[in-house]
Amino acid sequence: MSFSSSDSSQIADRLPLLRRRAELLKATRAFFDARGYLEVETPYAVPVPGEEVHLRCFRTEIEHPDGRREARFLHTSPEFAMKRIVAGIGLPVFQLARVWRNAEFSSTHVPEFTMLEWYRPSADLSALMDETESFVRALLPPVVSRDDREISLVAPFERLTMQAAFERYVGADLLGTAGDVAALAAQAGITPRHDETWEDLFFRLLLERVEPFIGRERPTFLTHWPAEQAALARKDPHDSRAALRFELYIGGLELANAFEELTDPIEQRARFETDRIRRLQIAPDQNWPLDEAFLEALPDLPPCSGIALGFDRLVLLATRAPRISDILWLG
């Protein structure tokens, strides 16, 4: 393959950033090797790419010698496959996987990117936050910069429940208003938009009133999401209105999403079926069967927690580059 002179010069200009990216890949593997994790590889083209309601997937086909064709999708996460592996071997695993999410373009979004995922048996959400904090400190300098703001990684990362965040920044009892859009809107002092659901309003308030203020002085784990946003996480045994889920924010960037994993196949199937109905209402072309192999493996999944971390965004923080395109070998 040959490149134009402009391609070559652009790659050469970005070489210091790209070298740093390569160093971070090596450091990531060293971190997990030292902690006894097994690096795994899972298929990228899969029958079921995920169950996220709002993600758009890339579709392709497998052609068999007899002419049969089977739909395949480029996965949006290796989560289902990695949990099947943990269910089979019971060991901590990690993967640096390429993942695909269509229609995502911005300075911090590209349709094809690198996701670091790891799953640790016997770890609860608190233990996973401890490990995530150690990983971030091992990979990044003591102070990082984003949007002209310096963020220290030296002090302990903030751990803030979603309920406390909404009390602090919105003035609303988030869990107490669950499912009641009028009540949440009234407490937030706003008028709901036409056809705005409670979930829609939750995300609007999260985006406009919470995210701009967290992770600015030090990284913030935003924990215990509403049960409606549990996805593949267990509900909090102390408060079923909340899910054992966190996201990590650093300098305005959402860096990671994590769950204390649900292992009940009946509850997980019900959640998938609900998500499927909502997804097809939004995008009828995003249609695939439930992942029966994943659901069948769930009872064998040991108690564990897992996390998906955007590796490209980690590189942005390490290099202070303004755009993901700056730290990709080729766009």
Side-chain angles (χ1 to χ4, degrees), residues 24-80:
L24 291 167
L25 283 169
K26 292 179 182 178
T28 295
R29 290 190 163 96
F31 178 90
F32 288 103
D33 285 346
R35 288 173 173 251
Y37 279 77
L38 178 65
E39 184 171 6
V40 299
E41 295 176 284
T42 60
Y44 290 172
V46 295
V48 181
E51 290 294 343
E52 290 281 354
V53 173
H54 299 289
L55 297 183
R56 292 192 58 80
C57 302
F58 289 86
R59 183 184 182 115
T60 186
E61 285 185 330
I62 287 182
E63 299 181 7
H64 291 272
D66 62 6
R68 289 182 297 114
R69 295 173 179 264
E70 290 184 56
R72 289 291 185 272
F73 302 87
L74 298 179
H75 67 180
T76 60
S77 162
E79 179 173 8
F80 293 177

Side-chain angles (χ1 to χ4, degrees), residues 7-313:
D7 285 334
S8 299
S9 62
Q10 288 174 9
I11 295 170
D13 290 343
R14 292 185 292 109
L15 187 56
L17 298 177
L18 299 171
R19 286 189 185 278
R20 183 71 179 119
R21 180 189 181 94
E23 292 169 357
L24 291 167
L25 283 169
K26 292 179 182 178
T28 295
R29 290 190 163 96
F31 178 90
F32 288 103
D33 285 346
R35 288 173 173 251
Y37 279 77
L38 178 65
E39 184 171 6
V40 299
E41 295 176 284
T42 60
Y44 290 172
V46 295
V48 181
E51 290 294 343
E52 290 281 354
V53 173
H54 299 289
L55 297 183
R56 292 192 58 80
C57 302
F58 289 86
R59 183 184 182 115
T60 186
E61 285 185 330
I62 287 182
E63 299 181 7
H64 291 272
D66 62 6
R68 289 182 297 114
R69 295 173 179 264
E70 290 184 56
R72 289 291 185 272
F73 302 87
L74 298 179
H75 67 180
T76 60
S77 162
E79 179 173 8
F80 293 177
M82 292 183 72
K83 288 182 187 176
R84 287 172 59 193
I85 290 173
V86 176
I89 64 176
L91 299 175
V93 300
F94 80 98
Q95 180 173 193
L96 285 155
R98 299 297 284 181
V99 298
W100 289 262
R101 298 178 180 184
N102 211 345
E104 296 199 358
F105 291 94
S106 75
S107 62
T108 57
H109 294 83
V110 288
E112 179 184 352
F113 59 99
T114 300
M115 186 82 83
L116 167 65
E117 293 206 16
W118 74 91
Y119 294 85
R120 180 178 162 188
S122 301
D124 62 11
L125 209 64
S126 179
L128 186 62
M129 283 189 274
D130 291 342
E131 187 165 65
T132 303
E133 190 167 335
S134 296
F135 171 73
V136 170
R137 284 210 185 96
L139 271 284
L140 296 182
V143 177
V144 296
S145 176
R146 190 72 188 164
D147 297 331
D148 298 320
R149 182 183 292 269
E150 301 290 305
I151 305 103
S152 173
L153 306 186
V154 177
F157 292 7
E158 180 181 27
R159 299 187 181 190
L160 181 66
T161 67
M162 190 70 79
Q163 175 76 352
F166 268 69
E167 290 172 354
R168 181 187 302 177
Y169 299 112
V170 181
D173 177 5
L174 178 67
L175 299 180
T177 65
D180 188 339
V181 64
L184 179 56
Q187 291 186 21
I190 61 175
T191 301
R193 295 169 178 167
H194 177 65
D195 289 336
E196 189 169 38
T197 66
W198 184 89
E199 180 186 50
D200 294 335
L201 180 56
F202 160 71
F203 278 113
R204 176 155 69 104
L205 293 169
L206 177 63
L207 179 65
E208 295 177 358
R209 298 198 190 177
V210 177
E211 288 187 354
F213 301 100
I214 61 175
R216 297 294 184 174
E217 305 298 329
R218 56 176 173 155
T220 297
F221 291 109
L222 190 58
T223 75
H224 294 77
W225 285 54
E228 292 80 2
Q229 299 301 316
L232 286 84
R234 293 178 58 228
K235 291 182 181 178
D236 185 348
H238 304 293
D239 186 347
S240 61
R241 300 175 303 169
L244 297 176
R245 171 182 177 180
F246 73 73
E247 289 192 357
L248 173 61
Y249 293 81
I250 301 180
L253 278 179
E254 178 211 325
L255 187 63
N257 182 32
F259 305 141
E260 190 169 319
E261 304 295 347
L262 178 66
T263 58
D264 181 344
I266 296 174
E267 182 176 352
Q268 190 64 77
R269 180 183 294 275
R271 292 186 194 178
F272 282 168
E273 289 173 343
T274 298
D275 289 344
R276 174 181 170 81
I277 291 170
R278 293 168 58 214
R279 186 179 68 246
L280 293 179
Q281 289 172 341
I282 297 169
D285 63 315
Q286 299 292 286
N287 188 11
W288 45 79
L290 294 182
D291 193 331
E292 297 295 344
F294 169 70
L295 292 169
E296 183 178 341
L298 263 189
D300 296 323
L301 183 67
C304 73
S305 293
I307 183 168
L309 185 148
F311 183 79
D312 304 293
R313 292 185 176 187

